[in-house]
């Protein structure tokens, strides 16, 4: 079968022919419906260097944001229906530690000893005709469209987890949230904030078309520039934003995020950016402003994200590509030319 392979650091992926896999005990073989192209993949093949994260050492199939139809069950698997559509929870931890047993494989206590981080992150991913996932990582989609659902497993789950943890800061009248970076994650983030809170959502991006998309979703936008922080503070009545979500994560956006935060606000950095640093200083930090980073989310939260999708509260903005054109999608992502999310559909749209 055809698969998009991570073949080396600082090396563009390749479309190769590999063997169709067979599910082992506890695993399920899925015929891939959709595989989203996440900016983190660009970090893996373009920015990571040998030795930085051995779990991402080549070679493996990319794609950690997947949906598909169950095709074959490995030994001992029960409760998965052949032919039914599922969303894949990508992180794969040891499965038995405290974090994994509460469905938070992202913070597996045995991560240091694991040879991979997840499906498409060390293990072969979904940019292929078929993918294997542990049965416990599958969330049933029912009648919901699996192709548009594919981005939910990262571009939906990651902002959902970040926003859910920040909800106490947005609970009440007159609250404001700031979203920096309106790509795959940020545009879903705006929708989650609108659905879960009554906060005014302020949004910013370098691309005018990304800001226009956020406005359509009900956000107030503020362009970049020297007076950006002043404009954001003005919209918040001078207070600053109660919760800030940075889906870019470069030094400059972390600085903007912290300068825009309210006293006792919460700043969540989700973007992995350029690995540059941010200088924290007492005198320029709003009192009790929390600065945290978050990584992906839990299995249970992914069920909740799917519930929101089924209820029409989240609709990822998707552009589809065939598997043959997958490298074109990654190139467009590298060039900043994707609006919303690029999703690879190896078996076409149904
Ligand atoms: P994307 O390429 O789809 O979107 C990024 C958006 O940010 C684009 O619209 C771009 O125009 C905008 N942008 C870039 N630089 C900017 C700047 N300086 N100021 C304002 N806007 C800017 O990317 P994505 O797939 O949505 O991923 C976003 C980030 O989140 C990436 O760094 C990715 O690696 C990271 N990520 C983190 C996690 C996690 O668990 N922490 C999970 C998935 C993705
Ligand atoms: Zn674990």
């Amino acid at each position: 079968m055809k698969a998009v392979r991570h073949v080396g650091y600082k090396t563009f992926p390749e479309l190769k022919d590999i063997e169709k896999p067979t599910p082992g005990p506890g695993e399920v073989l899925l015929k891939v419906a959709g595989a989203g192209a996440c900016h983190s993949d660009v970090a893996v093949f373009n920015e990571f260097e040998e030795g930085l994260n051995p779990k991402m050492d080549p070679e493996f199939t990319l794609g950690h944001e997947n949906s598909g139809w169950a095709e074959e069950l490995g030994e001992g698997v029960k409760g998965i229906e052949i032919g039914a559509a599922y969303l894949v929870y990508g992180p794969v931890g040891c499965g038995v530690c405290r974090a994994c047993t509460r469905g938070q494989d992202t913070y597996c206590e045995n991560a240091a000893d694991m040879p991979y981080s997840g499906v498409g992150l060390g293990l072969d991913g979904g940019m292929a005709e078929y993918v294997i996932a542990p049965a416990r990582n599958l969330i049933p989609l029912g009648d919901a469209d699996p192709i548009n659902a594919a981005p939910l497993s990262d571009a939906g789950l990651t902002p959902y987890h970040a926003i859910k943890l920040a909800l106490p800061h947005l609970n009440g009248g007159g609250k404001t949230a700031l979203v920096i970076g309106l790509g795959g994650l940020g545009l879903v983030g705006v929708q989650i904030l609108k659905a879960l809170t009554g906060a005014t959502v302020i949004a910013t991006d370098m691309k005018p078309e990304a800001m226009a998309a956020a406005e359509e979703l009900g956000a107030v936008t503020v362009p970049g520039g020297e007076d950006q922080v002043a404009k954001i503070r003005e919209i918040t009545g001078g207070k600053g934003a109660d919760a800030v979500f940075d889906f870019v994560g470069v030094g400059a956006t972390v600085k903007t995020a912290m300068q825009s935060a309210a006293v006792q606000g919460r700043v969540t950095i989700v973007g992995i950016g350029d690995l540059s640093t941010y200088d924290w200083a007492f005198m320029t930090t709003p009192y009790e402003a929390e600065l945290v980073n978050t990584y992906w989310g839990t299995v249970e939260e992914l069920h909740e994200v799917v519930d929101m999708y089924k209820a029409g509260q989240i609709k990822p903005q998707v552009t589809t590509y065939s598997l043959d054109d997958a490298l074109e999608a990654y190139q467009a992502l590298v060039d900043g030319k994707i609006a919303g999310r690029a999703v690879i559909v190896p078996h076409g749209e149904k």
Side-chain angles (χ1 to χ4, degrees):
M1 66 170 189
K2 282 187 231 166
V4 178
R5 306 280 288 174
H6 169 45
V7 289
Y9 292 116
K10 312 261 180 197
T11 306
F12 197 68
E14 287 176 19
L15 187 62
K16 287 187 160 184
D17 244 312
I18 61 164
E19 220 159 287
K20 182 178 169 185
T22 309
E27 295 178 338
V28 176
L29 177 75
L30 297 156
K31 182 175 169 181
V32 176
C38 176
H39 215 109
S40 300
D41 291 333
V42 177
V44 171
F45 62 72
N46 257 0
E47 276 158 50
F48 282 20
E49 292 184 7
E50 190 93 48
L52 180 71
N53 184 350
K55 292 174 210 268
M56 299 302 145
D57 281 354
E59 200 177 297
F60 63 86
T61 303
L62 291 165
H64 56 266
E65 206 182 66
N66 310 305
S67 62
W69 298 278
E71 172 104 355
E72 192 184 330
L73 308 183
E75 197 190 315
V77 173
K78 290 198 170 66
I80 300 291
E81 194 188 327
I82 297 286
Y86 292 90
L87 192 63
V88 180
Y89 174 69
V92 183
C94 72
V96 295
C97 73
R98 248 189 296 202
C100 286
T101 49
R102 67 169 184 260
Q104 195 160 25
D105 291 41
T106 44
Y107 300 157
C108 173
E109 290 172 352
N110 297 311
D113 302 324
M114 297 288 295
Y116 45 73
S117 293
V119 177
L121 293 168
L123 289 170
D124 282 341
M127 296 267 175
E129 292 168 57
Y130 295 89
V131 68
I132 294 227
R136 73 184 275 271
N137 288 47
L138 300 185
I139 284 95
L141 283 168
D143 295 337
D145 166 25
I147 291 171
N148 284 315
L152 298 177
S153 66
D154 187 357
L157 176 58
T158 302
Y160 184 79
H161 177 72
I163 291 166
K164 206 173 164 190
L165 290 174
L167 283 180
H169 293 264
L170 297 171
N171 181 11
K175 302 291 182 184
T176 47
L178 169 65
V179 178
I180 303 172
L182 301 166
L185 273 65
L187 284 177
V188 180
V190 169
Q191 296 175 59
I192 294 168
L193 283 164
K194 293 302 281 183
L196 297 187
T197 79
T200 299
V201 179
I202 307 170
T204 187
D205 196 285
M206 296 189 305
K207 293 194 285 190
E209 59 275 23
M211 292 213 285
E215 275 173 29
E216 263 177 47
L217 297 170
V220 182
T221 59
V222 176
E226 271 181 19
D227 57 349
Q228 186 181 35
V229 170
K231 281 187 180 151
I232 291 166
R233 297 198 82 90
E234 193 183 312
I235 297 171
T236 66
K239 277 193 311 145
D242 300 290
V244 183
F245 305 93
D246 179 359
F247 295 109
V248 180
V250 298
T253 56
V254 177
K255 190 172 172 195
T256 302
M258 287 301 279
Q259 288 178 339
S260 305
V263 166
Q264 295 181 311
R266 178 175 167 107
V267 175
T268 308
I269 310 299
V270 175
I272 301 166
D274 57 3
L275 311 178
S276 63
T277 55
Y278 160 76
D279 286 326
W280 186 94
F282 190 98
M283 295 311 285
T284 51
T285 303
Y287 292 124
E288 296 183 27
E290 301 168 4
L291 175 60
V292 298
N293 54 357
T294 54
Y295 176 52
W296 225 333
T298 71
V299 180
E300 186 181 24
E301 287 166 342
L302 191 51
H303 279 276
E304 293 168 6
V305 168
V306 168
D307 288 342
M308 290 183 77
Y309 174 69
K310 286 181 178 168
Q313 292 173 308
I314 307 175
K315 195 172 184 298
Q317 191 189 332
V318 164
T319 309
T320 56
Y321 289 76
S322 68
L323 190 52
D324 285 330
D325 293 338
L327 296 180
E328 226 171 82
Y330 270 131
Q331 189 58 55
L333 190 62
V334 170
D335 297 339
K337 290 193 178 135
I338 300 282
R341 205 47 142 198
V343 173
I344 311 314
V345 287
H347 301 279
E349 298 185 52
K350 296 237 153 115

